[in-house]
């Protein structure tokens, strides 16, 4: 039988699950294309941003995931165009890949609601490793500057941090920044006291963690406040600049808060590759049928955050969660294998595994169907689930060691600043060649 070529765009949760489930599939060759060389475990990004974990603990090389999968190869490249008639995928560098089946699993990016050009440099997204490293460096540099600052107003700005959006990412960021500042950094700086640090959580709605049961939201808010986070509701952000954030409150008053670091955690939108498929979209997501394929093209599947899948009998699409992407990935592998074998394709059914979020170092909220838990037990559950979902044994060990160490010692190991140091300037000092005298010299 002729071999079929499956091209998977994206090695995130969905793409990786699809490619792995095709291991050993008869007469199938798989090519995984990703613009990064690593798979990223996004649920722990906030811990890299707040110096709990080093970046390599939550990223694993895509190639090593397929070392033992003989029918799979990996291409580092960015998918740019699709010719669905000819079944050709073109990459940004102009190279092409012919496919029999295309699985689009390219995920999402931070949603700036059209303000990326104006706000992107100041409102920092929490979506990839470079975002997390940038936040970590800005927080650490703000503390360094505050330690030396004499002007009380400037100092207050340097010790104020804002998270915009009180969904799971905003709540996790706000709690972790407050803990980092008040419980860890304040001990290492001679002139900074825990109460000097202000962390604001700004939310347009009227509660934190709106996808959760209201009681869990209330518990999470209580815990956030105990950690020193101030949450403000009914806030519509109108501007973000280098000085801070401007928003309109419920009374219609315009408020400006001066801050050193602002994190933008208001949600995501599909990556721009979604628009290149030439298919129907819903809020930018590719609309798929009950098999996770395009209704008009059984050779193209879309899964995970980039896809709009509405289960039969329901009105809303599935949420952007890792289990959705992973289950859809495993499903399209089955659908393709059935197609290749000339059998009818199965229908996708999502098994809801529930939702969870952490609120600081030792509390979390967990909701699975009617079961709800919060506090320390929920946090232990959260730790266990996240360690098990990490890719690679080495990463699991690294994360568990880092967590145990920081839990016991209250220290954060990943407090490294690299961008504030000017290597070119350093080399100049060592350069033995005579330097021209400047005017002032
Ligand atoms: C901060 C944060 C915390 C989260 N926490 C949780 C959580 O606790 N629990 C949970 O269930 N979910 C969580 N999520 C959501 C979860 O991470 C996503 O739902 C999941 O990653 C979606 O998987 P995916 O395969 O669709 O996309 P992704 O995992 O995002 O993978 C997409 C891949 O496609 C690649 N790519 C993109 N464009 C191209 C292109 N043009 N060409 C080639 N490659 C491309 C990217 O490099 C990436 O590797 C969180 C998300 C974020 C951002």
């Amino acid at each position: 039988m002729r071999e079929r070529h499956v091209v998977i765009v994206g090695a995130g949760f969905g793409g990786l699950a699809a490619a792995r489930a095709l291991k050993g599939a008869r007469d199938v060759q798989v090519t995984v294309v990703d613009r990064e060389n690593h798979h990223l475990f996004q649920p722990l990004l906030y811990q890299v941003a707040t110096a709990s974990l080093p970046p390599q603990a939550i990223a694993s090389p895509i190639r090593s995931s397929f070392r033992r999968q003989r029918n799979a190869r990996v291409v580092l490249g960015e998918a740019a165009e699709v010719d669905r008639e000819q079944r050709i995928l073109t990459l940004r560098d102009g190279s092409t890949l012919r496919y029999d089946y295309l699985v689009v699993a390219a995920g999402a990016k931070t949603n700036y609601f059209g303000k990326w050009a104006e706000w992107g440099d100041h409102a920092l997204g929490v979506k990839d490793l470079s975002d997390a490293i940038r936040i970590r460096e800005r927080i650490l540099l703000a503390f360094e500057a505050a330690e030396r600052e004499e002007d009380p107003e400037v100092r207050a700005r340097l010790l104020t941090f804002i998270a915009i959006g009180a969904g799971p990412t905003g709540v996790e960021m706000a709690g972790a920044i407050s803990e980092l500042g008040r419980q860890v950094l304040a001990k290492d700086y001679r002139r900074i006291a825990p109460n000097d640090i202000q962390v604001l959580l700004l939310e347009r709605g009227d509660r934190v963690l709106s996808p959760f049961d209201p009681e869990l939201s209330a518990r999470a808010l209580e815990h956030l406040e105990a950690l020193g986070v101030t949450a403000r509701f009914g806030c519509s952000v109108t501007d973000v600049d280098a000085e801070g954030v401007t928003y309109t409150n419920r009374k219609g008053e315009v408020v400006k808060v001066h801050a050193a670091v602002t994190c933008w955690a208001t949600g995501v939108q599909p990556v721009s590759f979604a628009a290149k498929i030439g298919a129907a979209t819903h809020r930018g997501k590719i609309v798929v049928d009950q098999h996770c394929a395009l209704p008009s093209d059984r050779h193209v599947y879309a899964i995970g955050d980039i896809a709009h899948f509405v289960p039969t009998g329901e009105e809303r699409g599935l949420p952007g969660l890792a289990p959705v992407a992973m289950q859809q990935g495993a499903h399209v592998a089955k659908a393709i294998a059935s197609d290749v074998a000339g059998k009818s394709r199965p229908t996708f059914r999502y098994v809801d595994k529930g939702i969870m979020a952490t609120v600081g170092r030792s509390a979390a909220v967990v909701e699975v169907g009617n079961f709800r838990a919060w506090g320390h037990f929920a946090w232990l559950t959260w730790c266990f689930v996240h360690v098990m979902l990490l890719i690679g044994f080495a990463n699991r060990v690294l994360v568990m060691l880092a967590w145990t160490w920081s839990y016991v010692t209250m220290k954060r190991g990943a407090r490294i600043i690299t961008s504030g140091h000017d290597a070119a300037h350093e080399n100049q000092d060592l350069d033995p060649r005579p330097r021209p005298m400047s005017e002032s010299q």
Side-chain angles (χ1 to χ4, degrees):
M1 194 191 263
R2 181 175 75 84
E3 262 191 353
R4 311 298 164 93
H5 187 205
V6 180
V7 174
I8 300 175
V9 178
F13 285 99
L16 215 56
R20 283 172 159 187
L22 284 166
K23 183 177 181 178
R26 283 185 60 187
D27 304 311
V28 171
Q29 283 298 321
V30 180
T31 301
V32 179
V33 181
D34 202 297
R35 60 184 178 190
E36 306 286 350
N37 81 332
H38 56 265
H39 165 86
L40 180 65
F41 192 78
Q42 294 164 37
L44 293 180
L45 265 177
Y46 81 96
Q47 297 212 358
V48 173
T50 52
S52 278
L53 290 174
Q56 68 271 23
I58 63 162
S60 56
I62 297 166
R63 277 185 196 284
S64 33
S65 296
F66 297 105
R67 186 179 289 169
R68 292 199 188 86
Q69 187 168 335
R70 299 190 71 82
N71 72 339
R73 71 176 185 126
V74 176
V75 170
L76 176 65
E78 184 172 359
E81 301 287 342
V82 181
D83 179 342
R84 286 207 279 123
E85 225 154 79
Q86 302 295 321
R87 293 196 207 140
I88 293 174
L89 172 74
T90 305
L91 306 189
R92 176 81 53 216
D93 64 7
S95 56
T96 55
L97 289 164
R98 281 186 178 278
Y99 65 82
D100 294 296
Y101 296 96
L102 179 68
V103 180
V104 184
K109 60 182 180 182
T110 302
N111 190 353
Y112 282 98
F113 302 96
K115 292 285 188 182
W116 178 76
E118 292 105 309
W119 298 356
D121 270 349
H122 312 298
L124 307 180
V126 192
K127 191 68 183 89
D128 56 35
L129 265 191
S130 53
D131 289 337
I133 294 168
R134 199 158 63 135
I135 294 173
R136 184 184 73 181
E137 301 221 337
R138 287 205 193 171
I139 294 174
L140 297 177
L141 286 169
F143 272 82
E144 293 299 331
E147 177 81 345
R148 283 183 275 115
E149 184 57 53
E150 297 299 339
D151 182 331
E153 260 183 38
V154 179
R155 204 165 170 276
R157 181 183 74 77
L158 288 167
L159 293 175
T160 301
F161 305 90
I162 300 179
I164 300 173
T169 302
V171 164
E172 286 172 346
M173 281 301 303
I177 293 174
S178 194
E179 277 183 339
L180 172 71
R182 288 166 173 252
Q183 297 174 13
V184 183
L185 296 182
K187 289 185 183 149
D188 289 359
Y189 291 83
R190 297 286 171 264
R191 301 179 60 218
I192 299 174
N195 286 338
D196 294 345
I197 297 149
Q198 302 298 320
V199 180
L200 277 186
L201 180 60
L202 302 181
E203 163 62 35
R204 190 202 289 262
D206 55 8
R207 62 182 173 112
V208 302
L209 300 178
S210 63
F212 288 77
D213 180 78
E215 199 202 331
L216 291 182
S217 294
R219 298 275 194 185
L221 178 61
E222 241 171 59
H223 196 75
L224 276 174
E225 286 171 344
L227 290 175
V229 175
T230 306
R232 290 187 188 157
F233 299 100
C235 306
S236 287
V237 172
T238 53
D239 193 24
V240 186
D241 60 24
E243 291 298 307
V245 175
T246 308
Y247 65 88
T248 311
N249 67 15
R250 279 207 186 107
K251 294 180 195 154
E253 295 159 343
V254 176
V255 182
K256 169 111 195 190
V257 183
H258 294 270
V261 183
T262 301
C263 302
W264 186 254
T266 58
V268 295
Q269 63 181 123
V271 293
S272 36
F273 182 60
K276 305 289 181 176
I277 307 299
T281 55
H282 174 85
R283 294 189 178 160
K285 289 181 165 189
I286 302 165
V287 175
V288 292
D289 63 16
Q290 296 303 305
H291 308 287
C292 299
L294 299 191
S296 58
D297 187 343
R298 61 190 289 123
H299 295 273
V300 178
Y301 292 85
I303 58 174
D305 283 5
I306 204 168
H308 181 64
F309 181 101
V310 183
T312 314
E314 292 187 25
E315 280 173 17
R316 295 178 65 168
L318 291 178
L321 291 172
V324 173
M326 290 161 83
Q327 291 179 31
Q328 289 183 330
H331 173 83
V332 296
K334 269 194 219 143
I336 290 170
S338 304
D339 227 23
V340 172
K343 297 181 190 159
S344 62
R345 294 181 300 172
T347 299
F348 175 67
R349 283 202 179 77
Y350 176 56
V351 181
D352 189 351
K353 302 257 173 96
I355 45 177
M356 50 178 72
T358 49
V359 194
R361 206 171 69 105
S362 57
V365 289
V366 173
E367 192 171 327
V368 186
N370 289 330
F371 173 79
R372 291 177 196 116
W374 103 278
H376 201 66
F377 168 73
W379 179 73
L380 288 172
T381 312
W382 179 93
C383 291
F384 176 75
V385 168
H386 283 75
V387 166
M388 293 320 288
L389 282 173
L390 271 167
I391 304 290
F393 181 71
N395 284 14
R396 285 185 196 146
V397 173
L398 202 58
V399 167
M400 280 194 294
L401 283 177
W403 282 352
T404 311
W405 189 77
S406 68
Y407 193 81
V408 173
T409 64
M410 292 292 289
K411 289 181 182 166
R412 301 281 171 98
R415 282 164 42 191
I416 309 301
I417 303 171
T418 51
S419 68
H421 176 73
D422 185 346
H425 185 252
E426 178 90 330
N427 284 339
Q428 221 178 39
D429 276 353
L430 301 174
D431 191 344
R433 288 170 298 182
R435 269 182 251 161
M437 295 278 277
S438 72
E439 290 286 301
S440 58
Q441 282 172 320

